[in-house]
Amino acid sequence: MKQNSILLLLCLLLLASLVVQVEAASTIEERVRMQKEMEKLKQELVLIDYDTAEKLLKEIEALSLSTDDADKIKAYELLKVVQSILTESRPIETRAVWLDDQALGKINGPEKLKELVKWLADLNVNLILPNVYFAGESFHKSNIVPQMDWYRITFGEDDPLEILIEEAHKYGIEVHAWVMVYGLQGNVEPFLDRLDWLDKDKHGKYNNTAHTDYFFSPAHPLARDHILAIIDEVATYNLDGIHLDNIRYKDGFGYGDYMVDLYQQLFSIDPRKIPESNIKQFNHFREFKAQFITSFVELVRTRLHDKNPHLMLSAATAPQTWGKNSLGQDWHNWIDNRSLHFVLPMSYIETPEEYAQLIASDIQRIAGKTYCFPGQALYAFSAQTMEKEWQEGQKAPIVGQTLFSLLHIKSTHYELLQKGLFREKAVVTFREPDKAAVLFIDWLKKRIEIFGSEAGFSDNGRVTWLSLLDKTADLIAKAPTRRYDSRDLREENKPEQLYWETVLKSIEQLLELANNLKEPTSKRLTIDLLQLRSFITPLEYTSRPFTLVPIKY
């Protein structure tokens, strides 16, 4: 037995030694790769702490040559530090987080809520979307619906929404109240005396899935007024915006009693009996359904604008055409008709490659008419995949993204973000996009000034680029424009439109110049300039003459 124990110990020691040797070999390869990556990053004009990275790589090289296993392990750990340093942290970028009801439900009082906000501030998040109305109950002290028992018990006389807003504003974080519009998430009890408000499928069922999930009928005027009253109430807080979710039908629904009766009265047809093979009639009913949601969104926008122009309106939307085709959520039409300040597509997919393709299709359809900050499903993948997806988003013509959700930000996600992508503070890109665009140009100029020679700019070329960027920044800074957050999105302003067209032409000239540069500089500058353009195109679009775009299936 003793001999067996000794043999087992020797085997374990040998295995540990082999592991260290493998890690040492891997460390050497990684060090060489990182050295090459640093050269490429300079060509891409990436601003990071190269001096510290260089020092650490030299230390890693020395440790890798040591015969001491502890040194080899230290070298391996230092590689992770260098990789974080090599991760670009952008200073002009919207970094949003949905604060879901499950995560907020773990907060047991005012002090813990303050700690949560500081935790988010330390992560350099700049937009939070707390779930204030969920399953028919509220986060805040409401006069319309019951406050969730947990908050009522743990906060007493204090209002958690007031505390959250006050604390977030101390750190410069925007707060947009997240409202679950039609979905009741299975909590039908408060509405048992108002079952006519609920939606049904064509077979008359309130729920047709294993997961119990009831929805209001978007057509029912009393249900609509109920939700509007909640939004009006929430809008009295010192918020920065309202965010709509579950702003849709449940898949296969839209046959609530009120809807069916109304359609029969107007068109003498029972919509439940329309076969999908009758494409013309079926699409007519789909258009009819979608109009109730579309008109609700526009009604919310106008009410918010009238009461407090500072409040911006956004929505969580289904990606691509799923929302329109299956959920009555024609959010592309909302954008065409300027009913939202920005949109958060729920781009929940498991690989960075698929994420890039998914957001590209939505961005193409949005066509620069509004701001887009796609959402990532943190529950579906590792922290490393989150980082790669975010970096894919940074290659797209957008200037921000969203994390779903607070509950799924584990310590590994937090650490990776804090040391890498979110290392530096960032300015939101939707509140005053013209000012953010000027800051974006300043950041681009700084990068060209520092890395122009490494990126292949001649002395004259660098001077030319800096001069053109200066002129573009000056044009934007002097724009005779209304604030984006408080303008009526449908109000025409011809001088503004013509001015922004001039700015966009200036950016197009820069894009043409970028084609003359060598790779990878040309590709990175093209991405930067497309992102710069994305600041301006919604300003131009919301200055055009407004013509209502009808819903069409």
Side-chain angles (χ1 to χ4, degrees):
M1 288 293 291
K2 187 174 182 181
Q3 285 181 329
N4 289 340
S5 297
I6 293 171
L7 283 172
L8 178 61
L9 180 59
L10 288 172
C11 287
L12 289 172
L13 289 170
L14 178 61
L15 180 61
S17 177
L18 287 171
V19 169
V20 170
Q21 289 177 42
V22 170
E23 286 186 347
S26 174
T27 298
I28 293 169
E29 291 176 6
E30 273 295 288
R31 180 181 59 78
V32 172
R33 183 192 66 78
M34 287 181 177
Q35 199 74 50
K36 291 179 179 178
E37 184 180 347
M38 284 173 60
E39 296 308 310
K40 184 184 177 187
L41 290 174
K42 289 178 181 178
Q43 293 172 355
E44 293 176 344
L45 310 170
V46 174
L47 270 181
I48 54 173
D49 188 353
Y50 289 97
D51 290 340
T52 299
E54 289 278 9
K55 288 176 184 176
L56 287 173
L57 285 175
K58 287 178 181 177
E59 184 179 351
I60 290 167
E61 182 179 16
L63 290 168
S64 300
L65 298 173
S66 171
T67 57
D68 188 336
D69 287 350
D71 287 341
K72 290 182 171 62
I73 292 170
K74 184 179 179 183
Y76 184 75
E77 292 300 318
L78 284 177
L79 279 175
K80 299 176 185 177
V81 178
V82 176
Q83 189 58 59
S84 293
I85 294 172
L86 298 187
T87 301
E88 183 179 34
S89 182
R90 301 190 175 186
I92 303 97
E93 176 179 68
T94 293
R95 300 168 183 165
V97 179
W98 278 293
L99 308 189
D100 57 283
D101 65 295
Q102 291 186 58
L104 290 175
K106 296 180 180 181
I107 305 299
N108 61 357
E111 293 309 311
K112 290 296 181 182
L113 185 56
K114 291 176 183 179
E115 288 176 16
L116 169 65
V117 177
K118 185 178 186 309
W119 184 81
L120 289 164
D122 289 343
L123 188 57
N124 289 324
V125 167
N126 51 30
L127 168 61
I128 56 176
L129 304 114
N131 199 334
V132 300
Y133 174 72
F134 178 87
E137 298 177 329
S138 71
F139 173 65
H140 62 290
K141 284 187 171 297
S142 175
N143 294 316
I144 300 167
V145 294
Q147 185 182 28
M148 293 182 193
D149 288 343
W150 178 254
Y151 305 124
R152 182 175 50 79
I153 294 167
T154 57
F155 282 84
E157 295 302 314
D158 293 316
D159 190 320
L161 184 55
E162 282 185 356
I163 295 169
L164 181 67
I165 295 168
E166 183 178 353
E167 291 299 307
H169 285 173
K170 286 180 184 177
Y171 298 105
I173 299 173
E174 291 223 1
V175 184
H176 293 218
W178 172 13
V179 177
M180 303 296 272
V181 178
Y182 298 120
L184 291 171
Q185 292 73 44
N187 186 22
V188 73
E189 284 80 2
F191 303 99
L192 291 177
D193 59 340
R194 290 164 282 181
L195 289 179
D196 58 311
W197 290 16
L198 299 188
D199 203 7
K200 296 179 181 180
D201 69 7
K202 62 167 52 183
H203 304 293
K205 294 181 179 179
Y206 294 113
N207 183 68
N208 64 354
T209 56
H211 169 65
T212 303
D213 195 6
Y214 302 101
F215 269 63
F216 284 137
S217 169
H220 202 294
L222 295 180
R224 180 201 63 193
D225 291 347
H226 175 74
I227 299 298
L228 284 172
I230 293 166
I231 292 172
D232 286 345
E233 179 181 64
V234 172
T236 63
Y237 285 76
N238 187 29
L239 287 161
D240 303 295
I242 299 293
H243 177 66
L244 306 178
D245 194 2
N246 272 192
I247 180 73
R248 60 178 178 84
Y249 294 87
K250 191 173 177 177
D251 197 349
F253 278 61
Y255 299 90
D257 294 342
Y258 187 90
M259 175 78 81
V260 169
D261 290 345
L262 182 61
Y263 194 80
Q264 282 184 307
Q265 288 177 31
L266 292 172
F267 306 108
S268 302
I269 297 172
D270 184 341
R272 295 168 298 189
K273 296 178 181 179
I274 300 173
E276 292 188 20
S277 58
N278 185 343
I279 296 173
K280 183 178 180 180
Q281 192 65 53
F282 184 66
N283 281 344
H284 180 268
F285 180 59
R286 291 205 293 174
E287 289 172 3
F288 184 75
K289 288 199 314 181
Q291 287 171 11
F292 290 100
I293 297 178
T294 296
S295 62
F296 180 89
V297 174
E298 177 56 22
L299 182 58
V300 172
R301 184 193 71 82
T302 55
R303 287 164 77 108
L304 292 180
H305 182 75
D306 291 344
K307 292 181 179 181
N308 182 0
H310 173 78
L311 289 171
M312 303 183 82
L313 183 63
S314 63
T317 58
Q320 298 181 324
T321 58
W322 178 49
K324 177 179 179 178
N325 291 335
S326 301
L327 311 175
Q329 185 190 73
D330 191 1
W331 63 272
H332 296 142
N333 180 268
W334 309 346
I335 289 168
D336 290 341
N337 286 320
R338 312 181 198 176
S339 294
L340 297 173
H341 289 91
F342 59 90
V343 64
L344 277 57
M346 295 177 286
S347 307
Y348 302 161
I349 203 157
E350 295 182 3
T351 70
E353 296 77 18
E354 291 173 308
Y355 179 72
Q357 293 169 10
L358 186 60
I359 65 174
S361 64
D362 280 334
I363 292 167
Q364 182 179 22
R365 175 58 183 82
I366 290 168
K369 296 173 182 177
T370 193
Y371 301 98
C372 171
F373 309 123
Q376 298 178 6
L378 298 193
Y379 59 81
F381 41 66
S382 67
Q384 289 71 29
T385 299
M386 170 201 68
E387 181 180 62
K388 289 176 182 175
E389 285 204 0
W390 193 279
Q391 289 171 328
E392 286 297 330
Q394 289 180 326
K395 298 174 187 175
I398 55 175
V399 281
Q401 296 172 83
T402 312
L403 300 176
F404 182 85
S405 62
L406 176 61
L407 180 70
H408 305 291
I409 301 179
K410 308 303 182 187
S411 58
T412 50
H413 297 87
Y414 190 93
E415 182 179 357
L416 201 61
L417 289 168
Q418 191 176 49
K419 292 180 178 179
L421 290 166
F422 292 7
R423 184 173 56 245
E424 307 294 337
K425 287 186 178 296
V427 176
V428 293
T429 54
F430 54 83
R431 176 65 57 185
E432 295 182 272
D434 49 328
K435 291 183 178 180
V438 173
L439 292 174
F440 189 89
I441 292 175
D442 289 342
W443 175 59
L444 180 53
K445 283 170 49 188
K446 182 178 180 181
R447 291 157 53 204
I448 292 174
E449 287 169 348
I450 294 173
F451 301 116
S453 57
E454 285 93 340
F457 286 88
S458 65
D459 289 342
N460 288 337
R462 178 158 47 181
V463 170
T464 299
W465 267 93
L466 293 174
S467 174
L468 290 171
L469 286 169
D470 267 333
K471 288 179 182 177
T472 304
D474 192 52
L475 263 178
I476 296 171
K478 292 179 179 177
T481 187
R482 301 158 294 163
R483 282 181 62 111
Y484 180 70
D485 60 354
S486 56
R487 69 173 57 183
D488 182 341
L489 296 175
R490 292 184 171 185
E491 184 180 334
E492 174 188 0
N493 189 306
K494 193 65 177 178
E496 252 184 64
Q497 184 197 355
L498 294 174
Y499 193 95
W500 289 125
E501 285 178 356
T502 302
V503 173
L504 289 170
K505 287 177 183 176
S506 176
I507 296 171
E508 289 302 320
Q509 291 172 355
L510 288 167
L511 280 164
E512 289 177 13
L513 276 179
N515 291 329
N516 299 327
L517 297 169
K518 294 180 180 179
E519 296 296 355
T521 310
S522 175
K523 184 177 181 180
R524 176 56 197 267
L525 260 181
T526 298
I527 291 170
D528 288 326
L529 292 169
L530 290 174
Q531 290 173 347
L532 174 61
R533 188 172 68 182
S534 78
F535 284 99
I536 306 303
T537 52
L539 297 174
E540 187 274 331
Y541 184 70
T542 56
S543 299
R544 295 180 189 179
F546 177 74
T547 302
L548 186 70
V549 179
I551 295 171
K552 188 67 180 174
Y553 278 80

